Amino acid sequence: MEKKCLFCGIASGEVPAQRVYEDDEVLVFKDVNPQAPVHLLAIPKEHVSSSADVKDPALWSKLMGCAVETAHRLGLDDEGYRLVINCGTRAGQTVFHLHVHLMAGRSFHWPPG
Ligand code: 5GP
Ligand code: ZN
């Protein structure tokens, strides 16, 4: 059985979080340490450690579709937003349960740091 992690705890409700959207497979909640006026995390409810560990490609359409739909519902299409996935420590991943950052409400620089 897959080891449970912090975001598994949030998915199951054992760890509190400000939930924005959820269905059977995915959950969107507010980042506890926001780096932009809008900073949400979209996760699969099932544990997957990182983008490198996704086995079922259908997970991508579900997860990214959910992030994009959330942005749309929040009225962010026109002003724009950034979706980020950090894969591995060197890329800045600190929680090893796959998550998509949805960030908006300010200008973002490119290239990112
Ligand atoms: P990473 O660095 O792995 O790409 O992103 C992890 C994100 O999870 C960070 O932005 C961090 O602020 C957020 N985070 C870490 N612990 C918690 C928590 O307990 N609750 C919530 N809502 N977000 C968390
Ligand atoms: Zn997990």
Side-chain angles (χ1 to χ4, degrees):
M1 210 169 91
E2 200 73 64
K3 197 169 158 230
K4 299 292 181 200
C5 73
L6 174 63
F7 286 180
C8 284
I10 288 178
S12 69
E14 288 162 48
V15 176
Q18 288 188 267
R19 302 162 98 89
V20 172
Y21 171 81
E22 72 179 296
D23 62 24
D24 288 348
E25 294 167 284
V26 294
L27 169 66
V28 181
F29 58 96
K30 292 188 181 180
D31 195 295
V32 78
N33 183 24
Q35 301 301 310
V38 177
H39 189 172
L40 305 176
L41 301 172
I43 64 169
K45 287 190 169 178
E46 195 174 331
H47 182 87
V48 177
S49 296
S50 78
S51 58
D53 295 303
V54 173
K55 302 282 186 268
D56 179 2
L59 178 61
W60 286 121
S61 74
K62 184 74 199 181
L63 189 61
M64 298 306 280
C66 170
V68 166
E69 180 61 22
T70 300
H72 179 68
R73 283 187 202 165
L74 292 175
L76 299 172
D77 290 349
D78 288 343
E79 73 161 88
Y81 54 87
R82 184 170 283 185
L83 300 178
V84 174
I85 297 173
N86 298 321
C87 180
T89 306
R90 199 173 183 206
Q93 186 175 7
T94 57
V95 177
F96 285 81
H97 180 128
L98 175 63
H99 51 281
V100 180
H101 296 258
L102 166 57
M103 305 168 82
R106 66 169 172 87
S107 297
F108 295 94
H109 301 290
W110 194 264

